[in-house]
Amino acid sequence: MILGIGTDLANIERISGTLDRFGDRFRNRVFTDVEQRKAERRKDVAGTYAKRWAAKEACSKALGTGLRMGISWKDMAVSNLRTGQPVMEVTGWAKERLDAMTPPGHEAIIHVTLTDDHPWAQAFVLIEARPLVGAVTD
C-alpha cells in the first residue's frame, strides 16, 4: 500500500548561487557528510546538490509534513547503491514520523528517483508499506 508520495523541482542555478553565497554553512546545515562527499566528487557539483535538495523536499512531502513539525534536513539522506540507484534513509524525527505512518505488521520502503536537465533537478519519492513475511494483518 502507498503511504505517501512527494515530488519537488529545484533550480540548479539557484542552488549554485546558494553554494557560492553560503558555502559550508549551507552544505553543513542541509547535507550529510556522505551527501557532501558524493557531490564534491561529481563534475556537476551544484546539480548533485540540487537533486538531493529536491529529494529531501519530496521526502518531507511524502511524510505528510513538509519541512516543519521538527523535521530536519539531515533527517533525510540520499545515498546510492553500487548500481547507482538512489536510496533515501531517514533518521530522527523523520524516522519517527515514518514509523507512526507504517501500519502494524508492515515495513516501510522509501523509493526515490532523481533526474536533472539543466537548469532543473527533480525528485520523486514514494513511501510503500509492505507486509512483513509471516505477519498477520487486518
Side-chain angles (χ1 to χ4, degrees):
M1 93 180 57
I2 295 172
L3 298 179
I5 58 172
T7 189
D8 193 67
L9 186 65
N11 185 289
I12 296 169
E13 292 173 5
R14 179 176 158 247
I15 295 297
S16 179
T18 302
L19 287 165
D20 290 344
R21 213 171 16 260
F22 299 106
D24 285 342
R25 186 169 144 216
F26 171 65
R27 281 194 253 327
N28 293 332
R29 179 173 169 250
V30 176
F31 302 100
T32 66
D33 291 341
V34 170
E35 290 172 314
Q36 290 181 48
R37 282 193 301 274
K38 173 79 170 185
E40 297 300 326
R41 286 193 313 260
R42 304 299 291 270
K43 181 179 178 183
D44 183 9
V45 172
T48 302
Y49 279 123
K51 285 186 279 191
R52 279 150 177 74
W53 171 279
K56 291 167 185 272
E57 287 274 8
C59 184
S60 71
K61 294 170 185 176
L63 289 168
T65 63
L67 287 162
R68 57 185 176 84
M69 296 176 62
I71 201 166
S72 164
W73 287 105
K74 287 183 164 183
D75 285 348
M76 302 164 288
V78 178
S79 61
N80 297 85
L81 301 177
R82 287 181 183 253
T83 61
Q85 176 184 345
V87 292
M88 177 71 70
E89 180 184 350
V90 292
T91 58
W93 195 90
K95 174 76 168 116
E96 290 175 22
R97 172 68 180 155
L98 181 64
D99 291 345
M101 294 170 60
T102 306
H106 289 73
E107 65 177 335
I109 310 294
I110 301 174
H111 303 277
V112 60
T113 187
L114 309 172
T115 192
D116 64 288
D117 186 5
H118 197 85
W120 301 106
Q122 184 178 27
F124 184 81
V125 171
L126 183 138
I127 302 175
E128 171 190 13
R130 284 189 195 156
L132 294 168
V133 176
V136 177
T137 60
D138 292 333

